[in-house]
Amino acid sequence: MWRSLWRSIDRFSLQHFKYVINELRGIKVVDKHNSELVVDLLQSIAEIVTYGDRQDPLIFECFMEYQVLAEFVRVLKISRNSRIEAPLLQYLSIMIQNMDSEHAIYYCLSNGYINSIIAHQYNFDGGDLAPYYISFLRAVSSKINRDTLCLLVRVHGDAVVSFPLYSEALKFAQHGEKMIQTAVRALTLNIYNVSDDMVYQFVSIPPASKYFSDLVHSLKEQCVHLDSLVLATEGACTDQIRKELLLETDKIVDDLYYFKDILSVGESRLSEVVTQNLLNLFVFPILLPLLKLRRNDGSNLSAITSLYIVSRLLQVVGGKTIVNAVAEIVLYPFMGEIINGHLIGKPVSSHSPSINCSVDDSLCQKDVEQILASMIGLSGMQCGMDHDISASQVVDEIIFVKFMPQTSYEQSSERFKKELDGCWFDYILDTLRNEWTSCKAALEKPSQSKDPFFILELAVCQKITDDATSAYFSWQRMVDTVKVFILHLQLKAFICKGELLEKPLLAPLSSPAGSGRTHASDLSSASFGSEISLGSGIPCRIAFSNAGIRDIYMIPLARGTSGKLLLVEKHPFRSQQGVIIAITPLAGLSPKIDEDHPTWLHLRIREFDPRLNASKTKGYNAKGLNHAAEGRWTLGFPNAKACEAARLSILEEINKQKSSVRSTLAPLLQDNSDGSDEGSCRLAELEKKMRAGGCTVQQALTAEAATVVKQAVTLARRRGHAQVTPLHVASTMLAAPTGLLRTACLQSHSHPLQCKALELCFNVALNRLPASTSSPMLGTHSQQYPSISNALVAAFKRAQAHQRRGSIENQQQPLLAVKIELEQLIISILDDPSVSRVMREAGFSSTQVKSNVEQAVSLEICSQSAPSVTSKSKESNLTLSQSPPLSQVGAKASKPITSLDPIRNEDVMSVIDNLMNKRKRSIVIVGECLGSIEGVVKGVIDKVIKGDVPEALREVKFIPFPITSLSISPG
């Protein structure tokens, strides 16, 4: 009996739970006197409910029956400065977080008790209530789903008018504590991931949508703070500064990842409002002033910080819309498209007004590929293509080839060439080989593994000096220039060929010719203390600080890409030999005669040796090196003439060394194509096809014909065709509004619509051609560009043969040495069966069009090259390039032709002899052009008029027969 009185109370029993609830109900006011008791009661309720949710269903039934959540709300209302809110929210959070039963969660979120606790007027000034409040809101958000979300919102009609959980949480979005900011972002993502249309509508329109603009403004402020930190710490690189930069960039990256998480939800309205705010309030304000598309008001970010921010944005957030928008802005000066009422097509000055860039019409609904496609004339072409060919297949490579920053490449190439005149030109080849591998490895790494933080680190840690011409900084400039040049070369190779270059294209080192100064082996074996011949040495004197003035010989030597200046002292026993006492590279000597002492020659000596200081110069600051220290030698000569001869001798050897370096770099520096003309990249294939007899493209085509072929190659590549055919060439020729082919077609059918029908027929024929199996930009296809078809090669050969037959000069040359002119190329293309078939489908006759081309060519040749021999009749003057009217043929000339050139007279006599031959009744006169034929005929007529012909021909009469009547009728 007594033992039962002392039995311990079961804290998790239903009886004890009811006791605790009754104790809580009995409290009428909460103040500092009973606050500890209330806290104990709230803790017990949270523990018992958590236990009962998993072990005893009766406990939660009691929880619902006694409406315990209503007691929580009542306690909040009767609390008087007792600081009871924090523990109440804490225990309530623990209870909700540990609920597993869907029935329990549904009950807790119903009846409006949770909303009442959320909307209670808390005093957040001072104290630590905010973390407990946000923790409670986050616990509630973790339990919502599509079935329970409706319990926390108030709906009027089909729209949400109140959502306390979301609205109250957003008030802490810009809280100073990072933990609270993180909790708010986790809460919002929990809500966004619940697919509820009314909630999406609520968060996407004001006032709730202001949250996203505030986020972007906060991100912009962080970027401004980062920029000020970068600018304030330039040239003062320390570990502390680097840590500060890392801290600031981490904050920015965290915000960008949050935007990425929101966009990853995949809801269109949510993505649109976030993207609009990112672009209009963040991306455009950063990029437009940087690209001088908007006036700089002085509050913009520096170029370095802007580059870092945009790189991070593309790397972290990415997405088609963001990337397209950035591409549109970057390519703005080159685009001929109207975006939001603003004409884009030419560079805009820095004083241009701001551009109202909105993503509603141009960015979200129109890809940059489509904009650029319409700009470069592909939109019309795509309309006639099969639907299985997407715009990206046609455009993706053209964008980069067409809009590669060629100016940037040219600038880096010019800087690279300038370094050949710098003081480190002798190290350019080694630097190029060493950095080539590093650059290729860096480009091949995935973008996610590349941290653009180095941009800021390099800008901050770059040493500022007043002596930018010192050897060390000249070395750093040369290395940086080589790196940039390699990068541009690799990018250009990838754009044109779809792959990176394995190694630089350098000319092999040839054995240098001796200069006569010394043996070639002397330079390689020259070292301090070694002996060398004095045969080419120039006597002079030098003063050493410790050894006084000494008589020496100066020997500049250049062998290939190596060059040294030797100071040699005469051997004490061998009169023709000397001992080397000093050696310095030829590069960077900059010999200069002293103005006051014309017998003194000043030489600048590089004290910095990159090989010895390689380990010390890996950092940006290269601490411990005396960068400004420069060596100088002053050599004295017997007279000014000897001093000038010595200076010229040094310059001669330096130029020899530079020439060798330039020769080695020549293949790399040759720029035969500008990157935007991919047709020229394909001319090498044409050379292979036509090189059977040693013919190259430059020898096979004139400049005008080569241009047409390049355009045809471009057309084939844009359409994704595997080969360039005569159809591509014919379509290219026909597209020229004033071209010869189009003019000849208009002569056959004068109505312009007939030519339009012909263009459509060619378009249909091109659509039937097979496409390439893969995109050249992916680098998976064996051929990077369309190959030249056998039919087109045959057309080239026909044109060569036809042109050779039509000229006496060309007949004396080999067939493959004849240049194909555009007119002959047109005639040859018209002979192709596929072209004839297309023209026949459009109602044209290839034979008729070819006749029109030939007639136009003949008239052009005659108007340019026909002799100015005329026959004046009584009515008018006639030129030999025109057919004489009927009234003038056979009439007596008042002043007959008095002379003809020798070849013409010979032809005239040949015709007269054939006319005398009675066996030949039909004589055909064949000549190089119409003018030469008419000249012969007029010469015969003139001789008949003068009577300078045999007796049988003196009474001959001539009947005019215009050459145009010989044209073949269509069909």
Side-chain angles (χ1 to χ4, degrees), residues 574-680:
R574 302 177 184 175
S575 60
Q576 299 300 321
Q577 292 292 110
V579 179
I580 299 176
I581 61 173
I583 303 176
T584 189
L586 283 176
L589 284 181
S590 301
K592 184 179 180 181
I593 298 177
D594 192 280
E595 296 180 358
D596 299 328
H597 303 83
T599 60
W600 292 3
L601 183 64
H602 297 296
L603 303 177
R604 185 180 177 186
I605 308 302
R606 298 186 319 208
E607 295 289 342
F608 172 73
D609 190 340
R611 291 171 297 186
L612 298 178
N613 295 277
S615 60
K616 300 180 183 179
T617 58
K618 289 183 179 179
Y620 295 110
N621 230 6
K623 298 178 180 179
L625 292 177
N626 186 10
H627 307 316
E630 290 295 330
R632 177 170 294 183
W633 291 351
T634 300
L635 304 180
F637 294 86
N639 50 60
K641 186 176 181 180
C643 185
E644 177 65 16
R647 187 183 73 88
L648 295 177
S649 175
I650 294 175
L651 292 177
E652 180 184 356
E653 294 300 308
I654 290 176
N655 289 332
K656 287 181 181 179
Q657 186 182 2
K658 284 184 180 180
S659 298
S660 182
V661 174
R662 292 179 188 274
S663 299
T664 306
L665 293 171
L668 204 63
L669 295 175
Q670 288 178 353
D671 187 18
N672 295 326
S673 64
D674 60 357
S676 65
D677 188 3
E678 70 273 17
S680 58

Side-chain angles (χ1 to χ4, degrees), residues 912-951:
I912 293 175
D913 292 339
N914 281 278
L915 289 174
M916 288 296 296
N917 190 343
K918 296 182 179 181
R919 296 181 181 179
K920 299 179 180 179
R921 303 210 174 187
S922 298
I923 301 174
V924 177
I925 303 175
V926 179
E928 295 178 7
C929 65
L930 183 61
S932 61
I933 297 173
E934 289 182 346
V936 173
V937 173
K938 289 182 182 293
V940 173
I941 295 173
D942 183 63
K943 284 185 176 292
V944 172
I945 293 173
K946 293 189 300 182
D948 190 14
V949 291
E951 186 69 25

Side-chain angles (χ1 to χ4, degrees), residues 101 412 419 432 580 653 683 722:
S101 170
S412 67
E419 289 300 326
L432 185 71
I580 299 176
E653 294 300 308
L683 287 181

Side-chain angles (χ1 to χ4, degrees), residues 454-617:
F454 79 92
I455 300 174
L456 302 178
E457 192 175 25
L458 180 62
V460 169
C461 298
Q462 190 170 11
K463 182 70 175 178
I464 300 176
T465 179
D466 295 332
D467 187 13
T469 60
S470 65
Y472 171 74
F473 288 101
S474 297
W475 161 263
Q476 291 285 20
R477 184 186 65 244
M478 185 273 292
V479 173
D480 292 341
T481 301
V482 171
K483 289 180 179 179
V484 173
F485 182 64
I486 294 173
L487 176 63
H488 278 93
L489 282 177
Q490 291 286 26
L491 290 177
K492 190 173 182 181
F494 182 79
I495 289 172
C496 286
K497 301 180 181 179
E499 60 183 7
L500 300 176
L501 300 176
E502 289 293 333
K503 55 184 179 180
L505 182 62
L506 301 175
L509 293 175
S510 58
S511 301
S515 63
R517 296 181 179 275
T518 185
H519 297 291
S521 60
D522 288 344
L523 184 60
S524 59
S525 61
S527 60
F528 183 78
S530 62
E531 294 185 10
I532 192 171
S533 173
L534 297 177
S536 59
I538 302 175
C540 60
R541 306 181 79 184
I542 188 172
F544 290 102
S545 58
N546 297 327
I549 299 176
R550 301 171 67 172
D551 294 323
I552 60 171
Y553 289 83
M554 182 200 76
I555 305 177
L557 292 177
R559 291 294 180 271
T561 58
S562 300
K564 296 178 182 178
L565 177 69
L566 310 179
L567 298 186
V568 184
E569 195 171 30
K570 191 173 182 180
H571 198 281
F573 306 110
R574 302 177 184 175
S575 60
Q576 299 300 321
Q577 292 292 110
V579 179
I580 299 176
I581 61 173
I583 303 176
T584 189
L586 283 176
L589 284 181
S590 301
K592 184 179 180 181
I593 298 177
D594 192 280
E595 296 180 358
D596 299 328
H597 303 83
T599 60
W600 292 3
L601 183 64
H602 297 296
L603 303 177
R604 185 180 177 186
I605 308 302
R606 298 186 319 208
E607 295 289 342
F608 172 73
D609 190 340
R611 291 171 297 186
L612 298 178
N613 295 277
S615 60
K616 300 180 183 179
T617 58

Side-chain angles (χ1 to χ4, degrees), residues 100 149 189 301 327 360 518 560 564 600 725 755 771 861-862 892 940:
D100 295 332
L149 183 62
L189 290 175
L301 302 181
D360 292 342
T518 185
K564 296 178 182 178
W600 292 3
T725 66
C755 284
I861 293 175
C862 293
K892 295 291 183 179
V940 173

